[in-house]
Amino acid sequence: MTATTRRVYKRRETITALPLYYSGQLLKKYTGEKEFKNFYGELRGSTIFLYTDEMHDTYSEKLDLQMLKSMSMDSPYQNNRSTIYTLTLTNEEVQLKVDNPNTGEEWRGFIMTVATKEIPSNLQLLPGQMLRLEEVLSEEKKRQAPLSPLPYTYHIHPSSGDTYDDALSGIPPCFFPVSRQKAEKMLKENTEYGSIILRPSTDNTNYAITLRQDYPSGPVMKNYKVLSIDTGFIIELDAPVTVPSLGAVLDHFLKATEFRLHPYLVPQTYDTCIDLPLALPCFPPKTVPRARVAPMIHTKSPKGSTPPSFPKLPTKAKEAGNEYQDADEVLTPDPRPEDLD
């Protein structure tokens, strides 16, 4: 493989962000078309990417095998005869033609393996080719396995202390819930913090990248949209790039700019010394005395004896004409019945 070919393959890997399982020449046409068109095909993940030739790094068409409903062979397998397969997808029907029948059988094995998640039982392949299918099946199952739930979730309004939670939930620390205008202002006013901000898109259903690039004529702000799909994210470029996570979105921009840009990170202050506070003085608990009230004892006085005396109570002055009784005078108690006798 020449250096140019390696660069092309590396570029394709970056654009698709999917593992390469199989590749080769393919003839393709839609049902109803008369002539087959020649392509160079690559099976990456569960998608066949079709290129105009082997040296193009941007695909012209693609077939999503997750939408495959059936695959049939137009004629029985025969040596020295081209093989034509009809792929019935959810929204279209496509025919693939392979001039070499042995290569066509390999294509069928790989297509059915990634589409159905099992190796067909009626393949006519060598032991080494079957072993490769087992490796592809294992890798594809791991790639499409559902992610386990994370212990932390991301909140749309993070504070400065949410960086640790964001890392656990897959949100890069350069994410800020701000508008495009606010993100551009942040990059312009705080150049030392970084040059890439991940933010919500204008429609609040996807994401966007805002970055600042410095040119001799001055800084230039650029914005890119990132679509969220079931299997990851798509960076909307002239050649769309599919990546599995938001972290991979950020990595793609760093690599594409040769790491001349940096994520926007607000510096945090941290302590570097652990101090032991002085022990507080210990005092015994203060005892509050309880109030004690002596009980009042009522005794019955004997007949004819002097009734018990009571403390003199101040009385209100009593009005009698224009004269008033002395307020200090004590009223005489009424006589008891026995005294009247």
Side-chain angles (χ1 to χ4, degrees):
M1 183 182 293
T2 63
T4 303
T5 305
R6 283 196 296 267
R7 285 196 297 269
V8 171
Y9 274 72
K10 187 66 177 177
R11 175 64 177 164
R12 290 173 180 169
E13 181 182 2
T14 302
I15 293 175
T16 61
L18 292 170
L20 176 63
Y21 295 148
Y22 194 70
S23 62
Q25 296 294 331
L26 281 175
L27 296 169
K28 173 253 178 186
K29 74 170 185 176
Y30 291 103
T31 302
E33 291 182 341
K34 294 182 179 181
E35 300 294 334
F36 283 92
K37 296 180 181 179
N38 192 16
F39 292 96
Y40 183 81
E42 285 188 346
L43 176 60
R44 291 183 175 272
S46 58
T47 305
I48 298 178
F49 295 92
L50 300 174
Y51 301 86
T52 305
D53 55 47
E54 193 172 356
M55 299 308 298
H56 271 72
D57 58 4
T58 304
Y59 62 89
S60 57
E61 298 181 37
K62 65 178 181 178
L63 302 175
D64 187 358
L65 298 180
Q66 290 185 338
M67 304 174 66
L68 181 67
K69 300 174 65 176
S70 65
M71 180 178 182
S72 60
M73 186 187 305
D74 287 5
S75 60
Y77 175 83
Q78 296 180 8
N79 290 329
N80 302 322
R81 183 174 178 178
S82 299
T83 305
I84 298 177
Y85 297 102
T86 300
L87 279 64
T88 303
L89 306 176
T90 303
N91 56 348
E92 59 187 357
E93 192 173 79
V94 181
Q95 286 186 319
L96 299 179
K97 181 179 178 181
V98 184
D99 291 333
N100 188 321
N102 294 325
T103 304
E105 188 70 358
E106 280 191 274
W107 271 110
R108 185 172 77 93
F110 281 98
I111 290 173
M112 294 301 296
T113 297
V114 300
T116 63
K117 304 297 185 298
E118 61 181 6
I119 299 175
S121 59
N122 57 348
L123 292 176
Q124 301 183 33
L125 297 176
L126 298 175
Q129 295 170 326
M130 296 297 295
L131 182 61
R132 175 57 184 158
L133 285 181
E134 293 178 0
E135 294 174 352
V136 168
L137 178 61
S138 176
E139 185 174 351
E140 187 65 9
K141 284 183 176 179
K142 291 179 181 179
R143 189 184 72 86
Q144 295 194 19
L147 298 177
S148 58
L150 295 170
Y152 293 89
T153 56
Y154 175 74
H155 303 284
I156 193 64
H157 297 292
S159 62
S160 58
D162 289 338
T163 304
Y164 181 68
D165 291 350
D166 296 346
L168 290 174
S169 61
I171 302 293
C174 63
F175 175 85
F176 295 89
V178 296
S179 63
R180 172 189 290 205
Q181 293 76 14
K182 178 63 176 178
E184 293 179 353
K185 182 179 179 182
M186 292 167 62
L187 293 174
K188 183 178 180 180
E189 295 180 350
N190 304 284
T191 57
E192 70 278 9
Y193 290 173
S195 47
I196 300 179
I197 287 180
L198 176 65
R199 59 176 178 82
S201 62
T202 306
D203 54 15
N204 287 324
T205 59
N206 294 286
Y207 294 89
I209 288 285
T210 299
L211 58 85
R212 186 195 74 249
Q213 290 182 301
D214 295 325
Y215 291 91
S217 57
V220 176
M221 300 294 177
K222 296 183 179 181
N223 293 273
Y224 301 87
K225 192 170 185 179
V226 180
L227 297 179
S228 177
I229 59 177
D230 293 339
T231 57
F233 301 89
I234 298 178
I235 306 173
E236 287 197 333
L237 304 173
D238 292 337
V241 179
T242 303
V243 293
S245 64
L246 288 174
V249 171
L250 183 62
D251 290 340
H252 177 78
F253 279 91
L254 295 178
K255 293 177 182 178
T257 57
E258 298 179 352
F259 296 93
R260 297 179 184 178
L261 305 182
H262 304 283
Y264 187 95
L265 301 176
V266 179
Q268 304 287 334
T269 57
Y270 295 94
D271 296 321
T272 59
C273 181
I274 301 176
D275 298 325
L276 182 63
L278 298 176
L280 298 175
C282 183
F283 297 98
K286 186 176 181 179
T287 303
V288 179
R290 294 184 178 182
R292 295 183 178 180
V293 180
M296 181 180 293
I297 302 176
H298 298 275
T299 57
K300 186 177 180 181
S301 58
K303 185 176 180 180
S305 61
T306 306
S309 61
F310 296 92
K312 297 181 180 180
L313 298 177
T315 58
K316 295 182 180 180
K318 182 182 298 183
E319 182 178 356
N322 294 330
E323 296 180 358
Y324 293 90
Q325 185 178 356
D326 187 1
D328 294 334
E329 182 183 355
V330 180
L331 298 177
T332 304
D334 297 333
R336 294 184 300 174
E338 53 269 26
D339 295 337
L340 295 177
D341 293 339

